Amino acid sequence: MEDDLTPALAGALRSAREEGGLSSGALAEASGVSRAMISKIERGDSQPTAALLARLCAALGLTLSELIARAEGSRSRLAHRHDQPVWTDPASGYTRRAVSPAASATLELVEVELPAGARVMYPAESYRFIDQQIWGLGGTLHFSEGGETHVLHAGDCLQLGPPSDCVFENPGPGPCRYLVAIAKNPSRAATSRGEHR
């Protein structure tokens, strides 16, 4: 993770938890992330991985891009490339760019670069309140959802199925790039947050 984003991301996570009426203990129970780790992240003492942030965001009814946008504090309808928030997963080295303006309420575009040999796992909970498609931009992506694996090359587009544990993997010798289009369902997100109060 970029050092200058860590404190803002910590504050955004704490703010989202408090807005949702959740104690750190309740968030720990809902996300499966320990209370101690949540406290470390909220203090900016720990750089969370993508998988860990995905669990926290799912429990809060947010996407990772929404959390990053909160940390950036921008609500503009125009997102110039040089202003688009970029976050790097400290575990895998994968980089995600929040392409969509922060003001976007229901649609997100996220550009991802996955290094050669990298593998990133996301729990099924991350997909409970979103509809998602993956569009290959370069290289080869192996995407597994549940027991099924899809191979995407440049130009290929995949509609994700029902929520299940997912794995993004780059088997190639160079980086692979893809765009993730996320359609948010606010009513399902609200239901998700309500279940964890």
Side-chain angles (χ1 to χ4, degrees), residues 8 14 20 30 38 41 44 50 56-57 62 68 71-72 104 107-108 133 139 144 158 162 172 175 190 194 197:
R14 183 174 56 252
I38 291 171
I41 295 169
L56 292 171
C57 287
L62 298 171
I68 292 174
E72 289 289 314
S104 177
L107 176 67
E108 288 181 33
Q133 294 184 4
S144 301
L158 172 69
R197 288 188 181 177

PDB file of all heavy atoms in Angstrom, residues 8 14 20 30 38 41 44 50 56-57 62 68 71-72 104 107-108 133 139 144 158 162 172 175 190 194 197:
ATOM      1  N   ALA A   8      -5.149   7.726   5.819  1.00  0.00           N
ATOM      2  CA  ALA A   8      -6.484   8.093   5.349  1.00  0.00           C
ATOM      3  C   ALA A   8      -7.375   6.863   5.240  1.00  0.00           C
ATOM      4  O   ALA A   8      -8.566   6.914   5.564  1.00  0.00           O
ATOM      5  CB  ALA A   8      -6.390   8.798   3.996  1.00  0.00           C
ATOM      6  N   ARG A  14     -12.468   3.288   9.963  1.00  0.00           N
ATOM      7  CA  ARG A  14     -13.044   3.573  11.273  1.00  0.00           C
ATOM      8  C   ARG A  14     -14.346   4.352  11.136  1.00  0.00           C
ATOM      9  O   ARG A  14     -15.350   4.051  11.796  1.00  0.00           O
ATOM     10  CB  ARG A  14     -12.047   4.362  12.126  1.00  0.00           C
ATOM     11  CG  ARG A  14     -12.538   4.646  13.551  1.00  0.00           C
ATOM     12  CD  ARG A  14     -11.466   5.299  14.397  1.00  0.00           C
ATOM     13  NE  ARG A  14     -10.963   6.522  13.800  1.00  0.00           N
ATOM     14  CZ  ARG A  14      -9.757   6.654  13.239  1.00  0.00           C
ATOM     15  NH1 ARG A  14      -8.932   5.622  13.186  1.00  0.00           N
ATOM     16  NH2 ARG A  14      -9.369   7.797  12.706  1.00  0.00           N
ATOM     17  N   GLY A  20     -21.885   2.751  10.445  1.00  0.00           N
ATOM     18  CA  GLY A  20     -22.720   1.556  10.401  1.00  0.00           C
ATOM     19  C   GLY A  20     -23.189   1.107  11.765  1.00  0.00           C
ATOM     20  O   GLY A  20     -23.903   0.103  11.882  1.00  0.00           O
ATOM     21  N   ALA A  30     -18.583 -10.089  12.279  1.00  0.00           N
ATOM     22  CA  ALA A  30     -19.215 -10.097  10.949  1.00  0.00           C
ATOM     23  C   ALA A  30     -18.235 -10.409   9.833  1.00  0.00           C
ATOM     24  O   ALA A  30     -18.602 -11.014   8.830  1.00  0.00           O
ATOM     25  CB  ALA A  30     -19.879  -8.746  10.691  1.00  0.00           C
ATOM     26  N   ILE A  38      -8.235  -5.388  13.404  1.00  0.00           N
ATOM     27  CA  ILE A  38      -9.031  -4.227  13.035  1.00  0.00           C
ATOM     28  C   ILE A  38      -8.495  -2.977  13.736  1.00  0.00           C
ATOM     29  O   ILE A  38      -8.362  -1.917  13.124  1.00  0.00           O
ATOM     30  CB  ILE A  38     -10.522  -4.449  13.379  1.00  0.00           C
ATOM     31  CG1 ILE A  38     -11.117  -5.521  12.463  1.00  0.00           C
ATOM     32  CG2 ILE A  38     -11.311  -3.144  13.250  1.00  0.00           C
ATOM     33  CD1 ILE A  38     -12.500  -5.979  12.852  1.00  0.00           C
ATOM     34  N   ILE A  41      -5.296  -1.839  12.025  1.00  0.00           N
ATOM     35  CA  ILE A  41      -5.564  -1.186  10.746  1.00  0.00           C
ATOM     36  C   ILE A  41      -6.101   0.219  10.967  1.00  0.00           C
ATOM     37  O   ILE A  41      -5.671   1.175  10.316  1.00  0.00           O
ATOM     38  CB  ILE A  41      -6.569  -2.021   9.911  1.00  0.00           C
ATOM     39  CG1 ILE A  41      -5.951  -3.370   9.538  1.00  0.00           C
ATOM     40  CG2 ILE A  41      -6.973  -1.260   8.646  1.00  0.00           C
ATOM     41  CD1 ILE A  41      -6.954  -4.347   8.954  1.00  0.00           C
ATOM     42  N   GLY A  44      -3.570   2.636  11.748  1.00  0.00           N
ATOM     43  CA  GLY A  44      -2.561   2.803  10.708  1.00  0.00           C
ATOM     44  C   GLY A  44      -1.288   2.063  11.014  1.00  0.00           C
ATOM     45  O   GLY A  44      -0.245   2.321  10.405  1.00  0.00           O
ATOM     46  N   ALA A  50      -5.371  -7.336   0.382  1.00  0.00           N
ATOM     47  CA  ALA A  50      -6.617  -7.188  -0.369  1.00  0.00           C
ATOM     48  C   ALA A  50      -7.689  -8.119   0.179  1.00  0.00           C
ATOM     49  O   ALA A  50      -8.847  -7.732   0.327  1.00  0.00           O
ATOM     50  CB  ALA A  50      -6.368  -7.477  -1.852  1.00  0.00           C
ATOM     51  N   LEU A  56     -13.541  -7.026   5.394  1.00  0.00           N
ATOM     52  CA  LEU A  56     -14.019  -5.879   6.171  1.00  0.00           C
ATOM     53  C   LEU A  56     -15.039  -5.068   5.371  1.00  0.00           C
ATOM     54  O   LEU A  56     -16.086  -4.676   5.896  1.00  0.00           O
ATOM     55  CB  LEU A  56     -12.844  -5.001   6.584  1.00  0.00           C
ATOM     56  CG  LEU A  56     -11.869  -5.618   7.595  1.00  0.00           C
ATOM     57  CD1 LEU A  56     -10.644  -4.732   7.757  1.00  0.00           C
ATOM     58  CD2 LEU A  56     -12.554  -5.841   8.937  1.00  0.00           C
ATOM     59  N   CYS A  57     -14.732  -4.820   4.101  1.00  0.00           N
ATOM     60  CA  CYS A  57     -15.650  -4.040   3.265  1.00  0.00           C
ATOM     61  C   CYS A  57     -16.979  -4.765   3.087  1.00  0.00           C
ATOM     62  O   CYS A  57     -18.042  -4.133   3.130  1.00  0.00           O
ATOM     63  CB  CYS A  57     -15.011  -3.765   1.900  1.00  0.00           C
ATOM     64  SG  CYS A  57     -13.686  -2.540   1.955  1.00  0.00           S
ATOM     65  N   LEU A  62     -19.627  -2.219   1.761  1.00  0.00           N
ATOM     66  CA  LEU A  62     -18.880  -1.361   0.851  1.00  0.00           C
ATOM     67  C   LEU A  62     -18.052  -2.201  -0.105  1.00  0.00           C
ATOM     68  O   LEU A  62     -17.754  -3.366   0.179  1.00  0.00           O
ATOM     69  CB  LEU A  62     -17.913  -0.457   1.624  1.00  0.00           C
ATOM     70  CG  LEU A  62     -18.470   0.541   2.613  1.00  0.00           C
ATOM     71  CD1 LEU A  62     -17.324   1.161   3.411  1.00  0.00           C
ATOM     72  CD2 LEU A  62     -19.241   1.626   1.883  1.00  0.00           C
ATOM     73  N   ILE A  68     -11.573   3.185  -0.620  1.00  0.00           N
ATOM     74  CA  ILE A  68     -10.441   3.987  -1.076  1.00  0.00           C
ATOM     75  C   ILE A  68     -10.902   5.386  -1.454  1.00  0.00           C
ATOM     76  O   ILE A  68     -10.228   6.382  -1.155  1.00  0.00           O
ATOM     77  CB  ILE A  68      -9.726   3.290  -2.256  1.00  0.00           C
ATOM     78  CG1 ILE A  68      -9.029   2.010  -1.755  1.00  0.00           C
ATOM     79  CG2 ILE A  68      -8.706   4.218  -2.901  1.00  0.00           C
ATOM     80  CD1 ILE A  68      -8.424   1.165  -2.838  1.00  0.00           C
ATOM     81  N   ALA A  71     -11.264   7.406   1.539  1.00  0.00           N
ATOM     82  CA  ALA A  71      -9.943   7.812   2.042  1.00  0.00           C
ATOM     83  C   ALA A  71      -9.405   9.000   1.251  1.00  0.00           C
ATOM     84  O   ALA A  71      -8.774   9.901   1.808  1.00  0.00           O
ATOM     85  CB  ALA A  71      -8.971   6.637   1.962  1.00  0.00           C
ATOM     86  N   GLU A  72      -9.689   9.014  -0.054  1.00  0.00           N
ATOM     87  CA  GLU A  72      -9.222  10.114  -0.900  1.00  0.00           C
ATOM     88  C   GLU A  72     -10.013  11.391  -0.644  1.00  0.00           C
ATOM     89  O   GLU A  72      -9.505  12.485  -0.841  1.00  0.00           O
ATOM     90  CB  GLU A  72      -9.345   9.714  -2.374  1.00  0.00           C
ATOM     91  CG  GLU A  72      -8.342   8.662  -2.809  1.00  0.00           C
ATOM     92  CD  GLU A  72      -6.938   9.219  -2.883  1.00  0.00           C
ATOM     93  OE1 GLU A  72      -6.744  10.307  -3.439  1.00  0.00           O
ATOM     94  OE2 GLU A  72      -6.028   8.557  -2.359  1.00  0.00           O
ATOM     95  N   SER A 104     -19.644   8.414  -8.359  1.00  0.00           N
ATOM     96  CA  SER A 104     -20.462   7.352  -8.952  1.00  0.00           C
ATOM     97  C   SER A 104     -21.142   6.547  -7.849  1.00  0.00           C
ATOM     98  O   SER A 104     -20.484   5.999  -6.966  1.00  0.00           O
ATOM     99  CB  SER A 104     -19.590   6.424  -9.801  1.00  0.00           C
ATOM    100  OG  SER A 104     -20.341   5.363 -10.323  1.00  0.00           O
ATOM    101  N   LEU A 107     -22.141   2.447 -10.101  1.00  0.00           N
ATOM    102  CA  LEU A 107     -21.250   1.765 -11.035  1.00  0.00           C
ATOM    103  C   LEU A 107     -19.803   2.098 -10.729  1.00  0.00           C
ATOM    104  O   LEU A 107     -19.470   3.251 -10.467  1.00  0.00           O
ATOM    105  CB  LEU A 107     -21.577   2.186 -12.474  1.00  0.00           C
ATOM    106  CG  LEU A 107     -20.671   1.624 -13.565  1.00  0.00           C
ATOM    107  CD1 LEU A 107     -20.862   0.104 -13.691  1.00  0.00           C
ATOM    108  CD2 LEU A 107     -20.968   2.296 -14.905  1.00  0.00           C
ATOM    109  N   GLU A 108     -18.941   1.080 -10.760  1.00  0.00           N
ATOM    110  CA  GLU A 108     -17.506   1.278 -10.549  1.00  0.00           C
ATOM    111  C   GLU A 108     -16.730   0.579 -11.641  1.00  0.00           C
ATOM    112  O   GLU A 108     -17.065  -0.536 -12.038  1.00  0.00           O
ATOM    113  CB  GLU A 108     -17.055   0.675  -9.217  1.00  0.00           C
ATOM    114  CG  GLU A 108     -17.491   1.413  -7.993  1.00  0.00           C
ATOM    115  CD  GLU A 108     -16.957   0.738  -6.732  1.00  0.00           C
ATOM    116  OE1 GLU A 108     -15.845   0.161  -6.777  1.00  0.00           O
ATOM    117  OE2 GLU A 108     -17.664   0.767  -5.722  1.00  0.00           O
ATOM    118  N   GLN A 133     -18.441  -7.888 -13.747  1.00  0.00           N
ATOM    119  CA  GLN A 133     -17.894  -8.449 -14.979  1.00  0.00           C
ATOM    120  C   GLN A 133     -16.405  -8.154 -15.035  1.00  0.00           C
ATOM    121  O   GLN A 133     -15.942  -7.130 -14.514  1.00  0.00           O
ATOM    122  CB  GLN A 133     -18.582  -7.846 -16.214  1.00  0.00           C
ATOM    123  CG  GLN A 133     -20.048  -8.211 -16.334  1.00  0.00           C
ATOM    124  CD  GLN A 133     -20.677  -7.676 -17.609  1.00  0.00           C
ATOM    125  OE1 GLN A 133     -20.014  -7.081 -18.458  1.00  0.00           O
ATOM    126  NE2 GLN A 133     -21.975  -7.897 -17.751  1.00  0.00           N
ATOM    127  N   GLY A 139      -2.361  -9.948 -21.383  1.00  0.00           N
ATOM    128  CA  GLY A 139      -1.869 -11.106 -20.646  1.00  0.00           C
ATOM    129  C   GLY A 139      -2.968 -12.145 -20.489  1.00  0.00           C
ATOM    130  O   GLY A 139      -3.995 -12.100 -21.166  1.00  0.00           O
ATOM    131  N   SER A 144     -10.989 -18.230 -10.923  1.00  0.00           N
ATOM    132  CA  SER A 144     -11.745 -19.363 -10.396  1.00  0.00           C
ATOM    133  C   SER A 144     -12.843 -18.860  -9.477  1.00  0.00           C
ATOM    134  O   SER A 144     -12.600 -18.024  -8.602  1.00  0.00           O
ATOM    135  CB  SER A 144     -10.827 -20.302  -9.604  1.00  0.00           C
ATOM    136  OG  SER A 144      -9.792 -20.786 -10.431  1.00  0.00           O
ATOM    137  N   LEU A 158     -16.075 -11.725 -18.876  1.00  0.00           N
ATOM    138  CA  LEU A 158     -16.765 -12.734 -18.080  1.00  0.00           C
ATOM    139  C   LEU A 158     -17.762 -12.091 -17.127  1.00  0.00           C
ATOM    140  O   LEU A 158     -17.426 -11.149 -16.404  1.00  0.00           O
ATOM    141  CB  LEU A 158     -15.743 -13.543 -17.256  1.00  0.00           C
ATOM    142  CG  LEU A 158     -16.318 -14.517 -16.223  1.00  0.00           C
ATOM    143  CD1 LEU A 158     -17.015 -15.693 -16.912  1.00  0.00           C
ATOM    144  CD2 LEU A 158     -15.215 -15.014 -15.284  1.00  0.00           C
ATOM    145  N   PRO A 162     -23.186 -16.589  -9.191  1.00  0.00           N
ATOM    146  CA  PRO A 162     -23.598 -16.336  -7.808  1.00  0.00           C
ATOM    147  C   PRO A 162     -22.369 -16.208  -6.900  1.00  0.00           C
ATOM    148  O   PRO A 162     -21.298 -16.744  -7.214  1.00  0.00           O
ATOM    149  CB  PRO A 162     -24.414 -17.582  -7.447  1.00  0.00           C
ATOM    150  CG  PRO A 162     -24.849 -18.147  -8.757  1.00  0.00           C
ATOM    151  CD  PRO A 162     -23.742 -17.842  -9.723  1.00  0.00           C
ATOM    152  N   GLY A 172       1.138 -16.333 -16.315  1.00  0.00           N
ATOM    153  CA  GLY A 172       2.082 -15.948 -17.365  1.00  0.00           C
ATOM    154  C   GLY A 172       3.404 -15.409 -16.863  1.00  0.00           C
ATOM    155  O   GLY A 172       3.587 -15.147 -15.666  1.00  0.00           O
ATOM    156  N   PRO A 175       3.061  -9.389 -16.499  1.00  0.00           N
ATOM    157  CA  PRO A 175       1.840  -8.964 -15.817  1.00  0.00           C
ATOM    158  C   PRO A 175       0.607  -9.144 -16.702  1.00  0.00           C
ATOM    159  O   PRO A 175       0.709  -9.149 -17.935  1.00  0.00           O
ATOM    160  CB  PRO A 175       2.087  -7.479 -15.523  1.00  0.00           C
ATOM    161  CG  PRO A 175       3.087  -7.054 -16.538  1.00  0.00           C
ATOM    162  CD  PRO A 175       3.951  -8.249 -16.797  1.00  0.00           C
ATOM    163  N   ALA A 190     -27.557  -2.404   2.028  1.00  0.00           N
ATOM    164  CA  ALA A 190     -28.214  -1.975   3.271  1.00  0.00           C
ATOM    165  C   ALA A 190     -28.670  -3.183   4.067  1.00  0.00           C
ATOM    166  O   ALA A 190     -28.528  -3.233   5.287  1.00  0.00           O
ATOM    167  CB  ALA A 190     -29.406  -1.079   2.943  1.00  0.00           C
ATOM    168  N   GLY A 194     -27.441  -4.309   7.810  1.00  0.00           N
ATOM    169  CA  GLY A 194     -28.421  -4.550   8.856  1.00  0.00           C
ATOM    170  C   GLY A 194     -28.259  -5.899   9.503  1.00  0.00           C
ATOM    171  O   GLY A 194     -28.460  -6.064  10.705  1.00  0.00           O
ATOM    172  N   ARG A 197     -25.650  -5.778  12.434  1.00  0.00           N
ATOM    173  CA  ARG A 197     -25.759  -4.856  13.574  1.00  0.00           C
ATOM    174  C   ARG A 197     -26.122  -5.613  14.832  1.00  0.00           C
ATOM    175  O   ARG A 197     -26.688  -6.669  14.792  1.00  0.00           O
ATOM    176  CB  ARG A 197     -26.824  -3.798  13.273  1.00  0.00           C
ATOM    177  CG  ARG A 197     -26.303  -2.825  12.232  1.00  0.00           C
ATOM    178  CD  ARG A 197     -27.234  -1.670  12.053  1.00  0.00           C
ATOM    179  NE  ARG A 197     -26.713  -0.781  11.037  1.00  0.00           N
ATOM    180  CZ  ARG A 197     -27.331   0.285  10.607  1.00  0.00           C
ATOM    181  NH1 ARG A 197     -28.495   0.639  11.085  1.00  0.00           N
ATOM    182  NH2 ARG A 197     -26.784   1.046   9.692  1.00  0.00           N
TER     183      ARG A 197
END
